[in-house]
Amino acid sequence: MAILFRSTRALESEIDEYLDDVSNGILVFIDGVKNYLSKNVDSFKDNLTTIDKLEGKADELRRTIENNLYTHSLIPEHRGDVLGLLETIDDIIDTAKETLTQFSVEKPYIPESLHQQYNELAETAGKAGEAVVHATRSFFKEVKLVQDHLHKVYFYEKEADKQGDRIKRKVFEMDDLELCQKFHLRYFALHIDTLADMAENVADRLAIYTIKRTI
Amino acid sequence: MIFIYLTSGLFLGWSLGANDAANVFGTAVGAKMVRFKTAAIVASIFVLIGAVIGGAGATHTLGKLGAVNALAGSFIVAFSAAFTVAWMTKLKLPVSTSQAIVGAIIGWNFFSGSVTDYDSLTKIVTTWVLCPVLSAAFAMILFFVFRKVLEKINVHLLSMDFYTRIGLILVGAFGAYSLGANNIANVMGVFVPVVPFEPLNVYGLFTLTSAQILFFIGALAIATGIFTYSYKVMDTVGGGIFRLSPVTALIVVLSESLVLFLFSSEGLEAWLISHGLPSIPLVPVSSSQAVVGAVIGIGLAKGGRGIRFNVLGEIAAGWVTTPIAAGILAFISLFIFQNVFNQQVSKQVEYCLSDEVVTYLEQKQIPVRGLEPLRNEVYTNSVQFLSSIESHSPGSKKFVRKIIEASKITPLFIDPVLISNEVDRRWFTPGQYEAIQKLAGKSFKHTWQLKQALQNLSDEWKYKPENRKFKLYNKNLDKKYENLFSIFHVRNPSTKSK
């Protein structure tokens, strides 16, 4: 019995650690966008390596958690839900890593007049991600707080959509850019915004799972 | 021959395990919190412990089948009950094994011309209604309490899972222990006086009495039932009526245990009364009915949608069918067994309203006016005797059972050898035991004569005033009397006179 309790505790801390990694990944992502825009090449490279490591570690943790849930047949009622939840959260850190990699590969030219808006977009999308990580923690520990975090996710996701929209409009109104550059800029606004969309996906699932979580 | 008879006891044990294990672990397995295999192992171990250790007190009684006075009759009664329960198990319906036994005994009563105590029928019907209602009410209350408390204390999803699982296993283990302790007498009790087992010393650690060996074998039969066939009924209880979540699965077994404990525990009643507290009225309860009631309670607490009423209808039909089918089956089988296989399935009991009986009844202020024509007539059938009494003295209806009981001829011989071998010294008080010894060598015609003789010798054999405070005391005294009657009863008077 003691062994079972210890493994339960270990699994709880693994889930916490996993969520920590996702949360750190989001912070690194915001920092990475900032560093790219301010041309801090070394720091940006540093961000890339960090997010790569975090993503790898998160993947590994997720697999261990899923494996443990199944081998010990834990939480039979919520096992499928938790599995789905962990996998969709994984999409957030995956998107963050993917976007930073795209910055590093494609090296988009972003006019200085747009820097602040891109930074703001990254921050808003990041906030949506942060809020959904909080919501997920609450789902495990304090279910009545989930709703409080979820409404923030929806709010930031909408904000990110609006900011992305503003960037695109502004980009296509600029006369000093080639059409291909405009496309490129539009795609990068879209990539950053995807992080908020991923957060929204997780939030949608959580909203349903929370109803099931009450006895 | 005894071993052939024993098989029906084992069959009854098997059916009991296959059906009643669901009351203990059905919800846990249905909610997928405990694997069937784990549940079966835990249940079997605790049924064994319960039967061998907890069932020890029951060795003094023969169980319900003790009412059947011939071994071949017990065999058929046990077989009919077992067959009915096995059939219900095949239909995946949770039913009460003891109700099947009572039904089969009523079948035997009809066959042998014995008077049926209709109280037992009322009890069965009350259990069908009252027990599920009580248990549903408990489950609903517990559900709301749990929900409130779980909202307040924030437990991690995984810790909650751990606590629920442990709770389910603990309550299940306790339930399995009670299942073994309470039912083993019904399964094996009648065979205790007749098995030829010697006490067995287990590696010098402890000694198993012959009754315990028998109970162990019976418990093995129950365990086999759990392992081989209990999954079906577990499925009905755990998911067929209403889909249970792990926490509600725990609430169901908790309410079931609470109802069984609060409404059937004489120990609790005695304790409450002795501490000057109001006691809870005792009502007939059964775990099969309680568990179904609790599941309905959860379904209702969650709004009532999702309860499968067709399954409930089948279960209710199963409850009604069980005692009736067991009774009919017992009656038919007894007929075949007696007439085709030429086995004695019941012993003739004689009733005679002799002068001494009349004197005794008059002492007890039981009116015997109008019964003069029956004086000293010997009846061999209690049903006939009953109708004679009722036709001659319609006013004595209230006392008719007491008159029959007093007129029943039960030859008793206080055999000194039986006193030292069969009477359990530890169970009787020294005064009680001394009184028995003083009667060594004496014979009695009626049980009340032995009672009177014992009461004259020792105050410890006297009943206390009939009130709630002494209810349990008097009931225990009755059990001791019954034990003596079964020990000293001369089953074959002709051999004794040789």
Side-chain angles (χ1 to χ4, degrees), chain A residues 12 23-25 34 40 70 80 130 214:
Chain A
E12 282 174 17
S23 179
N24 283 340
K34 210 176 277 169
N40 293 331
Y70 270 90
E130 286 280 302
T214 49

Side-chain angles (χ1 to χ4, degrees), chain B residues 464-492:
Chain B
K464 300 236 164 149
E466 267 190 44
N467 60 34
R468 284 164 61 217
K469 200 172 168 188
F470 296 116
K471 197 172 139 193
L472 193 63
Y473 179 87
N474 288 341
K475 206 167 174 181
N476 276 333
L477 204 59
D478 270 332
K479 275 188 193 157
K480 289 181 179 176
Y481 277 125
E482 286 303 324
N483 181 236
L484 292 188
F485 300 155
S486 76
I487 293 174
F488 297 117
H489 183 198
V490 184
R491 282 160 219 282
N492 196 347

Side-chain angles (χ1 to χ4, degrees), chain A:
Chain A
M1 203 181 283
I3 299 168
L4 198 65
F5 190 61
R6 239 175 292 155
S7 65
T8 303
R9 275 286 141 85
L11 201 55
E12 282 174 17
S13 56
E14 273 167 1
I15 292 175
D16 265 340
E17 212 180 316
Y18 173 73
L19 292 175
D20 286 346
D21 286 348
V22 175
S23 179
N24 283 340
I26 294 166
L27 294 175
V28 173
F29 165 78
I30 300 170
D31 202 39
V33 174
K34 210 176 277 169
N35 282 329
Y36 177 82
L37 294 172
S38 11
K39 303 199 170 52
N40 293 331
V41 183
D42 288 341
S43 302
F44 179 71
K45 271 188 187 155
D46 212 33
N47 291 140
L48 260 180
T49 342
T50 316
I51 205 163
D52 193 46
K53 271 188 198 151
L54 282 172
E55 196 265 342
K57 192 177 150 219
D59 268 345
E60 217 165 276
L61 271 171
R62 178 175 56 81
R63 277 185 214 112
T64 321
I65 295 164
E66 290 174 356
N67 208 14
N68 277 333
L69 286 180
Y70 270 90
T71 42
H72 300 297
S73 336
L74 300 172
I75 45 169
E77 272 276 293
H78 304 287
R79 205 186 305 146
D81 297 353
V82 168
L83 230 66
L85 192 61
L86 295 181
E87 268 162 27
T88 34
I89 288 181
D90 202 42
D91 292 345
I92 297 178
I93 192 168
D94 281 352
T95 310
K97 183 193 149 190
E98 187 86 23
T99 309
L100 282 196
T101 316
Q102 274 158 344
F103 270 104
S104 137
V105 173
E106 300 177 22
K107 295 193 178 62
Y109 163 71
I110 299 175
E112 216 160 320
S113 59
L114 290 170
H115 280 190
Q116 203 197 339
Q117 275 174 299
Y118 271 94
N119 266 329
E120 278 172 5
L121 176 62
E123 266 169 29
T124 313
K127 278 179 183 164
E130 286 280 302
V132 91
V133 171
H134 283 305
T136 311
R137 274 192 220 276
S138 305
F139 171 77
F140 285 107
K141 291 179 186 165
E142 204 175 348
V143 88
K144 61 175 180 277
L145 291 185
V146 172
Q147 215 50 47
D148 291 349
H149 296 299
L150 286 187
H151 89 92
K152 281 185 193 154
V153 180
Y154 292 126
F155 172 78
Y156 288 126
E157 194 274 334
K158 266 205 188 80
E159 274 308 295
D161 276 352
K162 278 186 217 158
Q163 285 170 349
D165 202 48
R166 276 202 289 274
I167 290 176
K168 286 176 221 163
R169 280 180 197 287
K170 194 170 174 185
V171 164
F172 282 94
E173 279 164 9
M174 287 167 91
D175 297 327
D176 50 343
L177 292 174
E178 295 289 326
L179 187 62
C180 57
Q181 282 179 315
K182 289 178 182 174
F183 279 169
H184 210 193
L185 287 171
R186 183 191 72 176
Y187 272 121
F188 271 86
L190 196 71
H191 289 321
I192 298 172
D193 190 25
T194 311
L195 190 89
D197 291 340
M198 291 299 159
E200 193 191 26
N201 283 350
V202 180
D204 285 342
R205 276 175 186 257
L206 264 178
I208 301 292
Y209 297 163
T210 309
I211 301 169
K212 271 176 76 182
R213 176 88 154 75
T214 49
I215 66 164

Side-chain angles (χ1 to χ4, degrees), chain B residues 134 152 231 305 382 420 497:
Chain B
L134 277 172
K152 287 262 171 335
Y231 190 78
R305 287 181 301 274
S382 64
S420 51
S497 59

Side-chain angles (χ1 to χ4, degrees), chain B residues 1-162:
Chain B
M1 196 64 190
I2 163 75
F3 288 104
I4 295 174
Y5 287 149
L6 202 58
T7 53
S8 82
L10 296 177
F11 181 28
L12 185 60
W14 180 85
S15 298
L16 179 91
N19 201 292
D20 285 16
N23 307 338
V24 177
F25 273 114
T27 61
V29 172
K32 298 197 170 63
M33 283 301 268
V34 180
R35 286 196 199 102
F36 173 70
K37 215 167 149 191
T38 316
I41 293 170
V42 175
S44 302
I45 292 173
F46 282 90
V47 160
L48 273 169
I49 298 176
V52 177
I53 298 171
T59 48
H60 301 301
T61 65
L62 300 176
K64 289 195 167 61
L65 289 173
V68 178
N69 64 13
L71 208 53
S74 306
F75 169 78
I76 291 295
V77 169
F79 173 82
S80 310
F83 185 85
T84 314
V85 175
W87 173 36
M88 292 298 151
T89 309
K90 194 170 165 30
L91 297 176
K92 300 169 92 178
L93 302 175
V95 294
S96 161
T97 311
S98 55
Q99 290 184 1
I101 300 174
V102 173
I105 291 175
I106 293 172
W108 180 84
N109 284 346
F110 274 105
F111 185 81
S112 64
S114 312
V115 178
T116 297
D117 180 3
Y118 286 96
D119 276 0
S120 58
L121 280 182
T122 349
K123 261 188 193 169
I124 290 182
V125 179
T126 323
T127 312
W128 290 340
V129 184
L130 200 59
C131 186
V133 170
L134 277 172
S135 165
F138 268 74
M140 285 171 88
I141 295 167
L142 277 182
F143 176 83
F144 292 119
V145 170
F146 262 69
R147 196 156 74 177
K148 264 269 151 332
V149 172
L150 287 177
E151 267 172 25
K152 287 262 171 335
I153 53 161
N154 297 308
V155 191
H156 195 283
L157 180 66
L158 286 159
S159 297
M160 191 64 217
D161 179 76
F162 173 78

